[in-house]
Amino acid sequence: MSAQERLADALYGAGWGTVKKLPEPVAVRLGRGIADLAWKRRGKGVLRLERNYARVVPDAGPERLAELSRAGMRSYLRYWMESFRLPAWSAERVAGGFEAKDLHHLTDGMAEGKGVILALPHLANWDLAGAWVTTKLGIPFTTVAERLKPETLYDRFVAYREGLGMEVLPHSGGSAFGTLARRLRDGGLVCLVADRDLSASGVEVDFFGETARMPAGPALLAQQTGARLLPVTLWYDDSTVMRGRVHPPVGVPESGTRPEKTSVMTQALADAFATGIAEHPEDWHMLQRLWLKDLDPARDPATAPVQDRKGTS
């Protein structure tokens, strides 16, 4: 394990061990203070966040983008403060921490007994939404986690999410898809974060007017199992309650090859994600490259010299 990996593991361990013991108002102030400090330092993550927001809000000038990135960092740290504290929350606190619109799309799908796939972008706190599903609705579900380095950090994330009532499968190894399909055929629930895929198997979609790549898994699972595929978007407001919406089902096209059907369905997911992100851009925690143009270093503006916050780069 490298020194950087040991540091990352220690920091996350301290977060889960210390932050969860803080009174909620203290944790909120701490998160906001860390967010503002990171924003003022103008690191790579903040600059990338602004460039991503520039696609979402194309008419925003530099000052507006700076405002958005500050709000975005505060939202991002709210996610982390909540996540560190979630294991210590009571069932009542979890159940009262989220409200969902159009929940009938989920409950009706579960009642059909054919399984349901919830696909989400990196909006607000998807872990809280998952904990609410297992606690308030009493519905267990299966999800997938990317293998992190060091392995001890990955183990922390798995233990954390399993403690919230989730079954967690490793993204690598090749067996996750088959297990997810079995859970769906048994009438179960699968939840997947699905707005970024850098693998060769990702599906190209139009996302805010440019080409990005998103995972094929949700669409393929729906085709193979007959499960209902539902986009979900989340957002924060000024209260302590997170909000969300379950969007109408993404249907399987009646004609076309499997790749063609997968492309149509993944584009429909991207469109639903874009609706939620455009309404609440500051809650989209995308501090990484997403669009294909940005993944090509020769065409990536992030490699250009960076000027001050009110200038351009």
Short mmCIF file of all heavy atoms in Angstrom, two decimals, residues 1 31 44 48 69 101 109 133 171 193 220 299-300:
data_model
loop_
_atom_site.label_atom_id
_atom_site.label_comp_id
_atom_site.label_asym_id
_atom_site.label_seq_id
_atom_site.Cartn_x
_atom_site.Cartn_y
_atom_site.Cartn_z
N MET A 1 0.85 -1.19 0.00
CA MET A 1 0.00 0.00 0.00
C MET A 1 0.89 1.25 0.00
O MET A 1 1.80 1.36 0.82
CB MET A 1 -0.91 0.00 1.23
CG MET A 1 -1.91 1.14 1.26
SD MET A 1 -2.82 1.26 2.83
CE MET A 1 -3.54 -0.39 2.95
N GLY A 31 -18.79 20.65 7.41
CA GLY A 31 -18.85 20.35 5.98
C GLY A 31 -18.81 21.60 5.13
O GLY A 31 -18.10 21.66 4.12
N LYS A 44 -8.07 21.08 -8.98
CA LYS A 44 -8.53 20.45 -10.22
C LYS A 44 -10.00 20.05 -10.15
O LYS A 44 -10.73 20.19 -11.13
CB LYS A 44 -7.67 19.23 -10.53
CG LYS A 44 -6.24 19.56 -10.95
CD LYS A 44 -5.47 18.30 -11.28
CE LYS A 44 -4.05 18.61 -11.71
NZ LYS A 44 -3.28 17.38 -12.04
N ARG A 48 -12.81 21.40 -12.68
CA ARG A 48 -13.54 20.44 -13.51
C ARG A 48 -15.04 20.58 -13.27
O ARG A 48 -15.84 20.52 -14.22
CB ARG A 48 -13.06 19.03 -13.18
CG ARG A 48 -13.86 17.91 -13.86
CD ARG A 48 -13.94 18.06 -15.36
NE ARG A 48 -12.62 18.21 -15.96
CZ ARG A 48 -12.43 18.65 -17.19
NH1 ARG A 48 -13.45 19.02 -17.94
NH2 ARG A 48 -11.20 18.74 -17.69
N SER A 69 -20.18 26.49 -8.59
CA SER A 69 -19.17 25.56 -8.08
C SER A 69 -19.07 25.66 -6.56
O SER A 69 -18.82 24.65 -5.89
CB SER A 69 -17.82 25.81 -8.74
OG SER A 69 -17.27 27.05 -8.37
N LYS A 101 -41.10 12.05 -4.99
CA LYS A 101 -42.28 12.25 -5.83
C LYS A 101 -42.46 11.05 -6.75
O LYS A 101 -41.48 10.41 -7.15
CB LYS A 101 -42.12 13.52 -6.68
CG LYS A 101 -42.03 14.81 -5.90
CD LYS A 101 -41.88 15.99 -6.84
CE LYS A 101 -41.82 17.31 -6.09
NZ LYS A 101 -41.67 18.47 -7.02
N GLY A 109 -44.08 -1.23 -9.71
CA GLY A 109 -43.17 -2.16 -10.34
C GLY A 109 -42.84 -3.33 -9.43
O GLY A 109 -42.77 -4.49 -9.87
N VAL A 133 -34.94 3.61 1.25
CA VAL A 133 -35.67 2.50 0.62
C VAL A 133 -35.68 1.27 1.52
O VAL A 133 -36.71 0.61 1.70
CB VAL A 133 -35.04 2.16 -0.76
CG1 VAL A 133 -35.56 0.83 -1.29
CG2 VAL A 133 -35.34 3.27 -1.76
N HIS A 171 -17.68 -4.26 -8.74
CA HIS A 171 -17.87 -3.96 -10.16
C HIS A 171 -17.01 -4.84 -11.04
O HIS A 171 -17.43 -5.25 -12.12
CB HIS A 171 -17.54 -2.48 -10.41
CG HIS A 171 -17.80 -2.03 -11.80
ND1 HIS A 171 -16.88 -2.13 -12.82
CD2 HIS A 171 -18.91 -1.47 -12.37
CE1 HIS A 171 -17.39 -1.65 -13.93
NE2 HIS A 171 -18.61 -1.24 -13.69
N VAL A 193 -25.80 3.57 -9.94
CA VAL A 193 -25.40 4.91 -10.35
C VAL A 193 -24.89 4.80 -11.79
O VAL A 193 -23.98 4.02 -12.07
CB VAL A 193 -24.33 5.48 -9.42
CG1 VAL A 193 -23.89 6.86 -9.88
CG2 VAL A 193 -24.85 5.54 -7.98
N LEU A 220 -29.43 -3.27 -20.55
CA LEU A 220 -29.25 -4.69 -20.83
C LEU A 220 -29.98 -5.55 -19.80
O LEU A 220 -30.60 -6.56 -20.15
CB LEU A 220 -27.76 -5.04 -20.85
CG LEU A 220 -26.97 -4.50 -22.04
CD1 LEU A 220 -25.48 -4.75 -21.84
CD2 LEU A 220 -27.44 -5.16 -23.34
N ARG A 299 -7.72 17.86 -26.74
CA ARG A 299 -8.86 18.77 -26.91
C ARG A 299 -9.41 19.23 -25.57
O ARG A 299 -10.46 19.84 -25.51
CB ARG A 299 -9.96 18.06 -27.71
CG ARG A 299 -9.50 17.56 -29.06
CD ARG A 299 -10.55 16.67 -29.70
NE ARG A 299 -11.76 17.40 -30.04
CZ ARG A 299 -12.87 16.82 -30.49
NH1 ARG A 299 -12.91 15.51 -30.64
NH2 ARG A 299 -13.91 17.53 -30.81
N ASP A 300 -8.73 18.92 -24.48
CA ASP A 300 -9.24 19.20 -23.15
C ASP A 300 -8.80 20.58 -22.67
O ASP A 300 -7.62 20.81 -22.48
CB ASP A 300 -8.74 18.14 -22.17
CG ASP A 300 -9.32 18.32 -20.78
OD1 ASP A 300 -10.16 19.22 -20.61
OD2 ASP A 300 -8.92 17.56 -19.88
#
